[in-house]
């Protein structure tokens, strides 16, 4: 989640629309696109737009995508083009990339060899705009897509400080993705002299939530989307604030063993944490559950702990204002209205493929994507959805490196889903019906890193 200052090498300030690129380098003779509405923008013509080149050239920040993919994930290369970095007007300053100390930062990448498409993404967790570079940007660029990503307008573990009231910070995420989609479409049109033939939304975790929200609220901007374990927000639950507190209460007793361990295990299972994921619980207790509960609860319910900001880390149940005792169902109506501002409905307006790991120990599948799929069907939009439960997938692919015999990465499944969406939209083939994608019994970890057939 942390921010890291980044100095961009050989930055060229983008002149007004129609102005020529500066002499020297690969921008010579280019008409540099103008990003509508941007308060600041700079362009570079690069020999390599993927992380095979941008890490060394300073056109990405590896801290943004650290820990999101398996270490041995292949990196494509050979994608020259233009990268535009910049930001839209904003008043918050959590993002320190480029030394700008300015939020609403974006990156747009325009490959020289363009396939006619545009992919737009918001970041997972509270990360900055380069968070999807390894998992998504590298691969779609190698296929010829233009790519655009936003920091969602606020970043870091104190993102909840942004805005005037509860829910404002998360609501801004949706606004910023919409803003970038419109601006990136204009940039693509300027660069290639025709609008994108298809615009696709995709993202993981909070980025997957953004895909769902965009297809529900702005389907006119997209042709379809791939939702990679998106976060589910519902005003009447389930949502993260309904299943994280039970984990904070029960896990310490489970970990301690003894007479209460079995009852604690049952409480974890009742809260949604899947059987077979127990080996992941210590890591999630240490890294995810406590922090996630406190900062998202602060975003929608800051009054729960009074003047204390984002609770008390790892407090014991019974401690005043302890998030382990948080009971979303009994909180005042104003809290539920705050969640309602960012809630999903299932009323998608364009084709969506959702995938979610069965061993997700941060957003349990039974309390998230299983529920969202039912919401889509109840809303009468089931024909627009394909939902694939990925056996032995978990929330963060880097954990596959620690448990290669127990987990499978989701990144190749995301790519298979993306290709299935392409075929769906072009009328070549309808994706397989909803089902659980089984892990092959004799699966080689190296094969699982590059292959995930959905049928």
């Amino acid at each position: 989640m942390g921010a890291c200052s980044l100095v961009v090498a050989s930055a060229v300030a983008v002149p007004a629309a129609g102005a020529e690129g500066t002499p020297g380098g690969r921008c010579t003779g280019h008409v540099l696109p103008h990003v509508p509405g941007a308060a600041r923008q700079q362009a570079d013509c690069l020999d390599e737009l993927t992380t095979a080149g941008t890490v060394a050239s300073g056109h990405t920040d590896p801290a943004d995508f650290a820990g999101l993919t398996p270490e041995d994930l292949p990196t494509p290369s050979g994608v020259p083009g233009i990268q535009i970095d910049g930001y839209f007007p904003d008043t918050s300053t959590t993002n320190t990339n480029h030394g700008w100390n300015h939020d609403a930062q974006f990156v747009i990448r325009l490959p020289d060899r363009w396939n006619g498409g545009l992919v737009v993404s918001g970041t997972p967790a509270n990360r900055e705009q380069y968070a999807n570079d390894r998992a998504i940007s590298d691969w779609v660029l190698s296929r010829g897509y233009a790519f655009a990503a936003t920091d969602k307008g606020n970043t870091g573990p104190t993102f909840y400080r942004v805005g005037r009231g509860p829910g404002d910070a998360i609501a801004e995420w949706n606004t910023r993705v919409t803003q970038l989609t419109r601006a990136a479409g204009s940039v693509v049109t300027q660069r290639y002299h025709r609008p994108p033939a298809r615009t696709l939304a995709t993202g993981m975790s909070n980025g997957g939530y953004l895909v769902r929200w965009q297809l529900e609220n702005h389907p006119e901007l997209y042709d379809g989307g791939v939702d990679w374990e998106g976060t589910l927000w519902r005003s009447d639950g389930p949502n993260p604030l309904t299943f994280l507190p039970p984990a904070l209460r029960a896990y310490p007793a489970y970990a301690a063993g003894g007479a209460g361990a079995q009852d604690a295990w049952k409480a974890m299972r009742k809260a949604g944490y899947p059987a077979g994921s127990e080996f992941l619980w210590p890591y999630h207790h240490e890294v995810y559950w406590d922090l996630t509960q406190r900062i998202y609860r602060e975003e929608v319910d800051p009054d729960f702990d009074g003047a204390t900001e984002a609770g008390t880390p790892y407090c014991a149940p019974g401690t005043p204002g302890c998030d382990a005792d948080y009971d979303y169902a009994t909180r005042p109506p104003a809290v539920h209205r705050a969640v309602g501002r960012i809630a999903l409905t299932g009323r998608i307006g364009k084709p969506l493929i959702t995938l979610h790991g069965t061993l997700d120990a941060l957003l349990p599948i039974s309390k998230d994507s299983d529920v969202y799929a039912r919401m889509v069907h109840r809303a009468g939009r089931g024909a627009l959805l394909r939902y694939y439960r990925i056996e032995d997938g978990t929330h963060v692919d880097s954990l596959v490196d620690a448990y290669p015999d127990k987990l499978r990465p989701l990144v190749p499944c995301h790519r298979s889903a993306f290709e299935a969406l392409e075929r769906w939209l072009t009328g070549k083939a309808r994706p397989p019906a909803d089902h659980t994608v089984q892990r092959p019994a004799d699966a080689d970890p190296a094969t699982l890193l590059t292959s995930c057939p959905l049928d």
Side-chain angles (χ1 to χ4, degrees), residues 4 45 67 94 118 145 150 202 221 230 237 241 250 259 277 298 372 397 425:
C4 181
C45 290
T94 65
L118 168 65
Y145 283 93
T150 170
T202 192
L221 296 178
L241 304 185
S277 70
E298 186 73 15
Y372 188 67
D397 266 7
L425 295 178

Side-chain angles (χ1 to χ4, degrees), residues 154 159 165-175 206 208-214 216-217 230-236 238-241 295-301 328 334-346 372 375:
N154 47 79
F159 79 98
D168 280 358
I170 294 179
E172 184 183 3
W173 300 353
N174 299 313
T175 301
N206 283 338
Y209 157 76
L210 293 166
V211 173
R212 296 172 177 180
W213 193 96
Q214 293 294 320
E216 289 181 4
N217 293 275
T231 309
L232 178 61
W233 288 102
R234 285 167 48 103
S235 60
D236 57 350
N239 62 53
L241 304 185
I295 64 178
Y296 286 90
R297 191 270 305 152
E298 186 73 15
E299 162 66 356
V300 299
D301 191 0
Y328 175 80
V335 175
H336 293 250
R337 287 195 297 270
V339 174
R341 294 184 56 206
I342 59 173
L344 297 168
T345 66
Y372 188 67
M375 290 169 59

Side-chain angles (χ1 to χ4, degrees), residues 25-269:
R26 296 194 59 260
C27 272
T28 302
H30 275 287
V31 176
L32 297 175
H34 175 76
V35 183
R40 179 170 183 169
Q41 52 194 98
Q42 60 185 36
D44 289 287
C45 290
L46 304 178
D47 291 326
E48 186 59 71
L49 289 176
T50 76
T51 56
T54 55
V55 171
S57 69
H59 290 83
T60 187
D61 181 355
D64 284 5
F65 54 77
L68 293 179
T69 57
E71 184 176 354
D72 293 334
L73 181 69
T75 302
S77 61
V79 187
I82 299 172
Q83 175 164 317
I84 304 175
D85 292 284
Y87 57 75
F88 294 108
D90 198 3
T91 58
S92 56
T93 60
T94 65
N95 189 340
T96 62
N97 268 326
H98 306 281
W100 288 340
N101 299 317
H102 196 289
D103 291 345
Q105 290 192 37
F106 61 81
V107 60
I108 300 174
R109 297 189 174 108
L110 306 165
D112 287 351
R113 293 182 294 275
W114 183 51
N115 71 2
L118 168 65
V119 174
V120 182
S121 191
T123 57
N126 306 107
R127 297 179 183 236
E128 297 161 359
Q129 68 268 28
Y130 304 115
N132 291 315
D133 280 8
R134 283 271 287 150
I136 298 173
S137 176
D138 281 356
W139 185 74
V140 299
L141 286 168
S142 74
R143 294 172 61 81
Y145 283 93
F147 175 79
T150 170
D151 68 2
K152 309 193 299 285
N154 47 79
T155 67
T158 59
F159 79 98
Y160 52 79
R161 293 176 180 170
V162 173
R164 297 181 178 180
D168 280 358
I170 294 179
E172 184 183 3
W173 300 353
N174 299 313
T175 301
R176 294 301 182 182
V177 174
T178 303
Q179 178 183 43
L180 180 62
T181 301
R182 290 174 171 149
S186 173
V187 168
V188 164
T189 302
Q190 294 173 56
R191 169 65 182 88
Y192 303 109
H193 308 294
R194 59 186 174 94
R198 57 190 176 278
T199 299
L200 306 178
T202 192
M204 68 175 83
S205 193
N206 283 338
Y209 157 76
L210 293 166
V211 173
R212 296 172 177 180
W213 193 96
Q214 293 294 320
L215 296 190
E216 289 181 4
N217 293 275
H218 287 290
E220 75 281 0
L221 296 178
Y222 306 92
D223 295 281
V226 180
D227 153 33
W228 181 344
E229 64 194 16
T231 309
L232 178 61
W233 288 102
R234 285 167 48 103
S235 60
D236 57 350
N239 62 53
L241 304 185
T242 65
F243 54 73
L244 287 170
L248 297 180
R249 291 193 297 272
Y251 176 76
Y254 168 79
Q262 182 64 16
D263 287 341
W265 179 84
K266 291 178 180 178
M268 293 287 295
R269 293 283 294 115

Side-chain angles (χ1 to χ4, degrees), residues 349-366:
K350 288 292 173 63
L352 173 67
I353 296 181
T354 289
L355 61 150
H356 203 124
T358 61
L359 294 184
D360 194 322
L362 178 60
L363 302 178
I365 191 170
S366 66

